[in-house]
């Protein structure tokens, strides 16, 4: 089987604990592109926080895409929006009730090119009306995030797609916006089959894409549920797990055994 498309998560996966891509991982990703394998970064981060990694990996030199905000935005190299799923204003106001309940935690409202701390917004009504919001996330302790998860009402669950990229984060995006939805759209645009895809991740928001792919890979530091669904478990994000996995899986000898 020849793999044609690789989707890679950032935090806890391609990025190490210092938010850096190691030279080893970088070199492997550059090399596999010469084998006609496309690489797409798939993150909960905003576009503006992903671009620098695309530049480092030289992904802007090829015809590829960026998956942002857990699938709420997908752009091509020219920043044309392939997917553009904003949160409706009335739904944001619905979530504000929860935000006000969990005030000690840090809440951020994310637009296309920036994020704003909820506490820094003086007129929330005006802010929401004047800004397109794609993601709302909470950053707190692991214990606080678990408490928040356990107290989310059914009404909120039915309105938002809720996911965690890290144990200290929880994100709310438009219902139905997922990394898997974005991946399927890109596969359709590039005429790539399910069995020709590789996905690599670590968090709850990577679970669907890892289960779906032809070869779903979990990091050693991944969530246990993610590991259970993975076809392959690689090393940790601090030990070049992404590069090691790609080097093994895209190796010609491995393909002949598969």
């Amino acid at each position: 089987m020849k793999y044609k498309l690789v989707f890679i998560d950032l935090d806890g996966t391609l990025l190490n604990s210092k938010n850096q891509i190691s030279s080893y991982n970088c070199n492997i990703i550059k090399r596999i592109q010469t084998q006609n394998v496309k690489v797409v970064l798939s993150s909960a981060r905003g576009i503006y926080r992903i671009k620098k990694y695309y530049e480092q990996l030289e992904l802007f030199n090829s015809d590829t895409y960026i998956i942002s905000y857990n699938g709420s935005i997908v752009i091509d190299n020219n920043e044309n929006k392939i997917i553009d799923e904003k949160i409706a204003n009335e739904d944001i106001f619905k979530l504000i009730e929860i935000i006000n309940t969990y005030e000690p935690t840090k809440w951020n409202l994310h637009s296309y090119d920036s994020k704003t701390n909820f506490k820094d917004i003086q007129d929330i009504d005006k802010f929401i009306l004047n800004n397109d919001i794609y993601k709302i996330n909470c950053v707190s302790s692991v214990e606080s995030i678990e408490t928040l998860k356990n107290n989310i009402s059914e009404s909120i669950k039915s309105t938002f797609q809720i996911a965690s990229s890290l144990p200290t984060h929880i994100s709310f995006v438009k219902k139905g916006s997922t990394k898997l939805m974005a991946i399927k759209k890109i596969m359709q645009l590039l005429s790539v089959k399910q069995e020709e895809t590789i996905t690599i991740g670590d968090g709850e928001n990577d679970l669907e894409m890892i289960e779906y792919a032809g070869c779903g890979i979990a990091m050693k530091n991944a969530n246990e549920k993610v590991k259970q669904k993975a076809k392959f478990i690689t090393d940790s994000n601090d030990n070049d797990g992404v590069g090691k996995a790609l080097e093994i899986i895209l190796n010609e000898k491995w393909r002949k055994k598969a």
Side-chain angles (χ1 to χ4, degrees):
M1 170 55 64
K2 179 172 174 55
Y3 293 104
K4 297 180 179 179
L5 193 53
V6 183
F7 297 93
I8 309 173
D9 172 53
L10 280 177
D11 293 283
T13 301
L14 184 58
L15 301 183
N16 60 26
S17 298
K18 295 180 181 178
N19 279 327
Q20 298 171 340
I21 301 175
S22 71
S23 57
Y24 174 79
N25 281 340
C26 190
N27 290 335
I28 293 293
I29 289 173
K30 287 179 181 178
R31 195 202 315 167
I32 68 172
Q33 291 180 80
T34 65
Q35 301 173 17
N36 295 317
V37 178
K38 289 187 180 294
V39 176
V40 177
L41 299 184
S42 177
S43 178
R45 293 184 178 218
I47 298 288
Y48 64 100
R49 296 184 65 213
I50 302 175
K51 281 183 179 178
K52 64 179 180 180
Y53 300 117
Y54 261 73
E55 291 167 359
Q56 181 183 350
L57 297 168
E58 298 180 2
L59 294 175
F60 280 126
N61 295 338
S62 60
D63 178 23
T64 189
Y65 299 88
I66 296 177
I67 297 175
S68 171
Y69 293 147
N70 285 331
S72 294
I73 299 177
V74 174
I75 62 168
D76 63 16
N77 275 4
N78 297 314
E79 289 206 38
N80 297 310
K81 292 179 182 176
I82 309 303
I83 293 177
D84 183 24
E85 296 289 350
K86 298 176 279 288
I87 303 174
N89 289 350
E90 59 267 28
D91 294 335
I92 298 173
F93 287 118
K94 190 185 293 187
L95 192 58
I96 286 174
E97 295 178 21
I98 289 182
I99 294 175
N100 289 330
T101 303
Y102 288 85
E103 275 193 74
T105 59
K106 182 180 179 181
W107 287 86
N108 295 309
L109 277 65
H110 297 257
S111 63
Y112 182 82
D113 55 9
S114 65
K115 68 176 178 180
T116 305
N117 190 316
F118 183 75
K119 292 182 179 179
D120 294 334
I121 302 171
Q122 294 182 350
D123 188 335
I124 188 64
D125 290 9
K126 184 178 180 181
F127 181 87
I128 292 171
L129 291 173
N130 292 331
N131 291 275
D132 289 334
I133 304 300
Y134 290 89
K135 184 180 83 166
I136 301 172
N137 82 302
C138 176
V139 182
S140 192
S141 66
V142 174
E143 294 76 19
S144 293
I145 293 298
E146 282 302 313
T147 300
L148 176 54
K149 284 181 182 178
N150 294 332
N151 286 281
I152 295 173
S153 69
E154 290 302 318
S155 173
I156 293 296
K157 289 178 182 178
S158 65
T159 304
F160 293 93
Q161 199 71 38
I162 305 167
S164 293
S165 56
L166 295 168
T168 53
H169 290 61
I170 186 168
S171 299
F172 300 79
V173 297
K174 184 177 178 180
K175 189 71 176 178
S177 297
T178 65
K179 288 186 178 183
L180 181 57
M181 177 194 72
I183 284 170
K184 288 181 176 180
K185 179 65 176 179
I186 293 171
M187 286 169 58
Q188 181 184 27
L189 291 169
L190 297 176
S191 299
V192 173
K193 299 174 183 177
Q194 183 177 353
E195 60 267 25
E196 296 171 329
T197 60
I198 296 172
T199 55
I200 313 176
D202 73 301
E204 287 181 17
N205 60 331
D206 300 317
L207 183 60
E208 283 186 337
M209 73 174 192
I210 284 178
E211 187 175 13
Y212 174 81
C215 183
I217 303 170
M219 306 300 290
K220 186 176 181 180
N221 52 284
N223 177 291
E224 286 303 318
K225 291 180 182 178
V226 174
K227 287 182 180 179
Q228 289 171 13
K229 296 295 183 181
K231 191 168 290 185
F232 181 74
I233 298 175
T234 186
D235 212 333
S236 72
N237 63 316
D238 283 323
N239 286 299
D240 297 324
V242 168
K244 289 176 180 176
L246 291 175
E247 199 162 31
I248 293 170
I249 290 170
L250 295 173
N251 183 282
E252 195 65 39
K253 292 179 182 177
W254 187 93
R255 284 188 215 145
K256 288 177 182 177
K257 291 178 183 177

